[in-house]
Amino acid sequence: MSLIGKNISFAAELLRQHQLVAIPTETVYGLAGNGLSEQAIVSIFEAKQRPFFDPLILHIKNIEAVETYAHWHDSRLKTLAERFWPGPLTVLLPRHKVVPDLVTAGSNLVALRVPNQALTLRLLKELEFPLAAPSANPFGYISPTSAIHVEKQLGNKLGYILNGGHCHLGLESTIVGVEAGEVCVYRLGGLTVADLEAVVGPVSIQLNQSDNPKTPGQLKSHYAPRKPIYLIEDAPNEVLAAANFGYLSFGEPHLTVLEKASAHYNLSPQGQLKEAATNLFNYLRLLDESHVKHIVTQFLPNEGLGLAINDRLKRAMAK
Ligand code: TXA
Ligand code: MG
C-alpha cells in the first residue's frame, strides 16, 4: 500500500530524497523521480520492469525551462510548444550534458513536456529539478488513468501517489520531433495530427511497429491487457460461440456480438472520440480484471483522436 493524497510538499520531500512519487497529468499518471538523479532513474526502470533501452520523458515546469536541458534546433517545435504547453505534446530536442544518459537511453535527443495538471505543475514549480516520468504501469501493460490504477499495480514500489482524480484526456502525449527537415510524429496521442498541422503545416507520421525499434517506445506490443483481445472480424469462432468474452464497443454496438457477450462497455454510446479516449484504458482494465476470458472490440473511425485510439488497440492486439 502506498500513501495517497494531495500533499505537494510531502511529494517534493520524497523526490528530493530520490524516492518515487506517482503524479497525475492530463494524459495518464506518471511514475516520477528526480530526472537528474541516476539513483531515482534506476528505481523507475526497476519498478516498471522497463528495459533500459526505452527512454523517459522529462517533465518541466514551463517553456523557459527547456533551455536548461536542451536547445531548440527547429523553430517549428518551439512554435508548437508555445501553442500547446502546458498540454499533451512531447518534443524531442538535442539535449545538454546535464541530462543523464539513462534518461535518453544514450540518444542525443531528450523528450520534454510541460503537463497540464494543476497539482503536478505546482509540484514542478516547487522542485529544483525536472521529473523523469514514464506512465505508471508495469512495462507493456495498460496505462493508468486514476490513482487507484497506480495503487493496484505499483503501490508497493512508491513513496506516495499524488491524487489528481481521473485524467481528463486518458491518452498519452503526442510525441513530435524533426527528421530530414520535416516535423515528424513518433507517437499519436492526446493532440491530433490536425491540431499540429493547423500550426506548422503538413507533418509526417512515423509509427514504427517492430519488436526491436530504432526509436524505442514504438514497440509493436504495448498498452496490452493480459487477456487476448481481438477485432470482432478476427475473433475465432469458438471465442464468440463460447460467450465468455467481454465486448468493448463504440457507438451503436453490433447486436449479434452484444447478445453473446458476458460483459460490455461502450467507449462512447454517442460516438464521441474524446469521450472514448477518456474511457479507453479504464474499460480495458475493467474487462481485464473481470471474469471474461477474452476481449472483443472494433476500430473507431480513423480520424482525429480515433487514430491514436486505434493505434493503442492495434498494439494491445499485437501480443
Ligand atoms: O502522456 C505522456 O507522455 C505520459 C505522461 C506521464 O507524461 N508519459 C508517457 O511516458 O507516456 P512513457 O515512458 O510511457 O512513454 C514515453 C515514450 C516512450 O515510448 C519512449 O520510448 C519515448 O516516449 N521517448 C522518450 N524519450 C525519448 C527519446 N529521447 N527519443 C525517442 N523516444 C523517446
Ligand atoms: Mg507508457
Side-chain angles (χ1 to χ4, degrees), residues 48 50 134-135 137 143 172 187 222-223:
K48 267 193 77 115
R50 175 170 170 132
S135 51
N137 51 278
S143 300
E172 296 85 349
R187 178 175 72 182
H222 217 95
Y223 313 103

Coordinates of all heavy atoms in Angstrom, one line a residue, residues 48 50 134-135 137 143 172 187 222-223, ligand 2:
K48 N 9.1 -0.4 -12.9 CA 8.3 -0.7 -14.0 C 8.7 -2.0 -14.7 O 8.0 -2.4 -15.7 CB 8.4 0.4 -15.1 CG 7.4 1.5 -15.0 CD 7.5 2.4 -16.2 CE 6.8 1.8 -17.4 NZ 5.7 2.4 -18.0
R50 N 11.1 -2.0 -16.8 CA 11.2 -1.5 -18.1 C 12.6 -1.7 -18.6 O 13.6 -1.4 -17.9 CB 10.8 0.0 -18.1 CG 11.0 0.8 -19.4 CD 10.3 2.1 -19.2 NE 10.6 3.1 -20.2 CZ 9.6 3.8 -20.7 NH1 8.3 3.6 -20.3 NH2 9.8 4.8 -21.5
P134 N 7.8 8.0 -16.8 CA 7.0 7.2 -17.8 C 5.6 6.9 -17.2 O 5.3 7.3 -16.1 CB 7.8 5.8 -17.8 CG 8.3 5.7 -16.4 CD 8.6 7.1 -15.9
S135 N 4.7 6.4 -18.0 CA 3.4 6.1 -17.5 C 3.6 5.1 -16.3 O 4.4 4.2 -16.3 CB 2.5 5.5 -18.6 OG 3.2 4.4 -19.2
N137 N 2.7 2.3 -15.1 CA 2.1 0.9 -15.2 C 3.3 0.0 -15.4 O 4.4 0.4 -15.8 CB 1.2 0.8 -16.4 CG 1.9 1.4 -17.7 OD1 1.9 2.6 -17.9 ND2 2.5 0.5 -18.5
S143 N -1.9 1.8 -19.6 CA -1.6 3.0 -18.8 C -2.6 3.3 -17.8 O -3.8 3.1 -18.0 CB -1.3 4.2 -19.7 OG -0.3 3.9 -20.7
E172 N -1.9 9.1 -23.8 CA -0.6 9.7 -23.7 C -0.4 10.9 -24.6 O -1.1 11.0 -25.6 CB 0.5 8.7 -23.9 CG 0.5 7.5 -22.9 CD -0.4 6.4 -23.3 OE1 -1.2 6.6 -24.2 OE2 -0.3 5.3 -22.7
R187 N 4.6 9.3 -31.9 CA 3.6 8.6 -31.2 C 2.3 9.4 -31.3 O 2.3 10.6 -31.0 CB 3.9 8.4 -29.7 CG 2.8 7.7 -29.0 CD 3.1 7.3 -27.5 NE 3.2 8.5 -26.7 CZ 3.5 8.5 -25.4 NH1 3.8 7.3 -24.8 NH2 3.6 9.6 -24.7
H222 N 2.2 -3.4 -26.8 CA 2.2 -2.4 -25.8 C 0.8 -2.1 -25.3 O -0.1 -2.5 -26.0 CB 2.8 -1.1 -26.4 CG 3.7 -0.4 -25.4 ND1 5.1 -0.6 -25.3 CD2 3.5 0.5 -24.4 CE1 5.6 0.1 -24.4 NE2 4.7 0.8 -23.8
Y223 N 0.6 -1.4 -24.2 CA -0.7 -1.0 -23.8 C -1.6 -2.2 -23.7 O -2.8 -2.1 -24.0 CB -1.3 0.1 -24.7 CG -0.4 1.2 -25.1 CD1 0.2 1.2 -26.4 CD2 -0.1 2.2 -24.2 CE1 1.1 2.3 -26.7 CE2 0.7 3.3 -24.5 CZ 1.3 3.3 -25.8 OH 2.2 4.3 -26.1
Ligands
MG2 MG 3.9 4.0 -21.3

